[in-house]
Amino acid sequence: PDLSPQRFPFNSPLGMCDECNGLGSRLEIDPELIVPDPSKSIEEGAVVVWNLENGFSWGTDVVKAVCDRYGIDRRKPWRSLPKRGRDVILHGSGDEKVAVKWERGSSHGTWEMKWEGIVPAYKRRFLQTQSDEMKEYYGKFMTSRACDGCGGSRLREESRHVRVGGRTIVDVHSIPIEELAAIMGALPLTSMEEKIASELLKEI
């Protein structure tokens, strides 16, 4: 887009990062809060959002099916499981479908489903729920992290790539003020650029 002063403040809709809306950080589901004790096995409650203590229900049928499909040993400590198995549980199986078998008395059957994964499922539910109670529940498993899009700078990509004297506005923000004063006083500007920048340099 065309450059304008509004492209550079992170609290301007034109300048803020599209992914974090200028906050510089995002709330993300934290796998370490999903599995706080990797010495435990799945059956011992390693995955704290799964309640496997009361026998198998619809939810535990799905857990069993996912583990069976990807050869995940529910009795092994979480930290001993192959990375692929841990990744499937946390982040899903992509387009691959899992066959879930269920049996309740004389009733039984099988259906196929895509396994979304705990991390994306909880992030989706957090964003979709209208319940303050559920927001609080999902929030227990979230951590604030630097935005992947802007690296915490808060600015949109185009604004982060504009340079004056070889430095971006993100670079300038991180320079101590005394050092920055010397840099601004010695900017290598052409005569035309000096005319354009004169009032700005006075303000700086």
Side-chain angles (χ1 to χ4, degrees):
D2 291 337
L3 291 179
S4 68
Q6 291 76 26
R7 296 281 175 192
F8 296 94
F10 52 73
N11 57 0
S12 159
L14 297 178
M16 66 176 56
C17 169
D18 296 335
E19 295 189 30
C20 66
N21 294 322
L23 295 175
S25 62
R26 301 169 66 175
L27 279 175
E28 299 289 351
I29 300 295
D30 188 341
E32 291 185 6
L33 298 177
I34 299 291
V35 186
D37 185 354
S39 69
K40 289 184 176 181
S41 67
I42 290 172
E43 288 193 352
E44 291 171 332
V47 182
V48 295
V49 301
W50 285 346
N51 179 12
L52 306 182
E53 295 177 358
N54 300 320
F56 279 91
S57 62
W58 179 88
T60 49
D61 284 341
V62 174
V63 172
K64 185 175 184 297
V66 170
C67 290
D68 290 347
R69 168 70 175 79
Y70 293 98
I72 300 167
D73 189 337
R74 300 190 301 279
R75 292 168 293 279
K76 267 190 174 182
W78 176 266
R79 64 162 61 102
S80 300
L81 296 176
K83 183 177 184 301
R84 166 66 170 155
R86 299 195 307 266
D87 285 347
V88 164
I89 289 172
L90 292 173
H91 304 290
S93 57
D95 291 330
E96 295 178 0
K97 290 188 176 181
V98 175
V100 181
K101 297 178 182 178
W102 61 274
E103 188 173 348
R104 303 290 182 271
S106 59
S107 300
H108 58 87
T110 302
W111 84 95
E112 289 192 339
M113 60 171 285
K114 291 181 181 179
W115 171 246
E116 185 177 6
I118 297 170
V119 170
Y122 268 47
K123 180 67 179 290
R124 173 180 55 78
R125 293 174 190 173
F126 175 80
L127 294 173
Q128 291 178 348
T129 185
Q130 301 299 311
S131 164
D132 290 340
E133 184 179 351
M134 293 311 298
K135 283 269 189 193
E136 184 177 348
Y137 170 73
Y138 295 126
K140 292 177 182 177
F141 305 103
M142 303 184 90
T143 299
S144 180
R145 300 183 185 278
C147 172
D148 291 335
C150 66
S153 72
R154 305 184 180 190
L155 288 169
R156 66 183 293 155
E157 185 175 8
E158 294 88 347
S159 303
R160 300 196 308 271
H161 283 79
V162 175
R163 284 176 164 75
V164 175
R167 292 179 172 85
T168 68
I169 192 170
V170 178
D171 297 332
V172 168
H173 282 167
S174 66
I175 298 173
I177 195 68
E178 288 186 0
E179 183 183 339
L180 182 57
I183 290 171
M184 299 308 290
L187 274 178
L189 302 176
T190 66
S191 57
M192 178 61 74
E193 288 170 342
E194 283 181 359
K195 290 178 183 177
I196 295 170
S198 60
E199 292 301 317
L200 290 173
L201 290 173
K202 283 180 189 176
E203 292 295 326
I204 292 169

